[in-house]
């Protein structure tokens, strides 16, 4: 309870629940979880901050769910570092100085059904990560990239609607990623590929 848990035991059947908080993240990360594989859900929280801290930060964490939160005005809305088996779903994340969602050295995660926009660098970034699914997200009006994929292998990007970014999707130093049925529009460059070998099928770029 002193750390914001309102119920649960941390098991798969009865995860810790962190919910319904209004958090000022201007002087520290809004929610920070480190070094655990216990099960938890963060949901229905409103987190706003400054360009110095993250809204939600996971480091060396497995088995988390982050869902239905509103996160604005941080350096990164949701940051995963060396974490796996987490799901980020149905969040609204905007106005961050860098990224809405940043997946860094973190395999086997899923981001689905999120709305991300108005960030200084990128909507969703996947760096040095593998086997991550980025599905059915709405990504728009970011200053540089809608989606940035760097030095990553075997990830799947499906059904995302990406519009109004300088570059819709950028892939650099990547292999074996699959881009399927994404819609990329109103960008200076729709899909930009550098030193990469990937599979792109379906969808539309206009």
């Amino acid at each position: 309870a002193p750390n914001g848990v309102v119920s649960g035991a941390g098991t798969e059947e009865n995860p810790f629940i962190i919910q319904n908080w209004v958090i000022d993240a201007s002087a520290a990360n809004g929610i920070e979880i480190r070094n655990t594989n216990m099960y938890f859900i963060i949901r229905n929280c409103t987190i706003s901050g400054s360009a110095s801290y993250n809204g939600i930060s996971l480091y060396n964490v497995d088995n988390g769910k982050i869902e239905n939160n509103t996160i604005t005005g941080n350096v990164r809305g949701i940051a995963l570092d060396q974490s796996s088996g987490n799901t980020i779903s149905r969040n609204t994340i905007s106005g961050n100085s860098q990224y809405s969602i940043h997946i860094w050295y973190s395999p086997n995660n899923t981001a689905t059904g999120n709305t991300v926009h108005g960030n200084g660098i990128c909507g969703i970034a996947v760096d040095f990560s593998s086997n991550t699914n980025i599905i059915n997200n709405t990504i728009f009006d970011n200053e540089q990239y809608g989606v940035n994929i760097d030095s990553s292998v075997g990830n799947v990007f499906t059904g995302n609607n990406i519009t109004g970014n300088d570059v819709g999707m950028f892939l650099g130093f990547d292999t074996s990623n699959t881009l399927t049925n994404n819609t990329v529009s109103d960008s200076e460059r729709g899909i930009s590929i550098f030193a990469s070998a990937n599979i792109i099928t379906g969808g539309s770029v206009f």
Side-chain angles (χ1 to χ4, degrees):
N3 294 312
V5 175
V6 299
S7 66
T11 64
E12 185 173 6
E13 297 78 16
N14 188 22
F16 289 129
I17 304 296
I18 300 171
Q19 68 179 4
N20 298 331
W21 292 101
V22 177
I23 299 174
D24 180 354
S26 59
N29 293 330
I31 296 174
E32 181 173 337
I33 300 176
R34 303 172 66 88
N35 302 320
T36 185
N37 61 3
M38 300 189 82
Y39 291 81
F40 65 90
I41 301 173
I42 302 170
R43 64 187 179 204
N44 300 331
C45 293
T46 299
I47 304 171
S48 59
S50 69
S52 299
Y53 298 98
N54 299 321
I56 297 174
S57 180
L58 306 186
Y59 176 82
N60 189 28
V61 169
D62 304 339
N63 303 320
K65 294 182 179 180
I66 303 172
E67 56 190 34
N68 295 315
N69 301 284
T70 300
I71 305 170
T72 59
N74 305 276
V75 61
R76 297 182 294 178
I78 297 173
L80 272 58
D81 186 350
Q82 300 178 54
S83 299
S84 65
N86 301 286
T87 301
I88 302 168
S89 60
R90 303 183 303 280
N91 301 282
T92 300
I93 313 168
S94 64
N96 301 285
S97 63
Q98 292 186 6
Y99 313 101
S100 273
I101 298 172
H102 190 197
I103 298 171
W104 168 266
Y105 286 102
S106 295
N108 303 308
N109 296 288
T110 297
T112 181
N114 301 284
T115 299
V116 303
H117 62 94
N119 300 283
I121 296 178
C122 181
I124 299 177
V126 178
D127 296 333
F128 303 97
S129 299
S130 61
N131 302 317
T132 288
N133 297 310
I134 308 296
I135 301 170
N136 295 337
N137 299 283
T138 300
I139 304 163
F140 62 96
D141 292 347
N142 300 285
E143 290 186 17
Q144 297 184 35
Y145 307 101
V147 173
N148 184 43
I149 312 159
D150 185 9
S151 304
S152 296
V153 178
N155 301 286
V156 175
F157 301 81
T158 300
N160 299 288
N161 190 342
I162 306 166
T163 187
N165 310 280
D166 183 40
V167 179
M169 305 182 77
F170 176 80
L171 296 89
F173 304 102
D174 302 298
T175 58
S176 303
N177 295 290
T178 301
L179 282 63
T180 305
N181 295 329
N182 300 286
T183 299
V184 184
S185 64
D186 194 25
S187 302
E188 184 72 19
R189 288 175 287 171
I191 299 174
S192 181
I193 302 172
F194 178 78
S196 300
N198 300 282
I199 302 167
I200 302 174
T201 60
S204 57
V205 180
F206 60 93

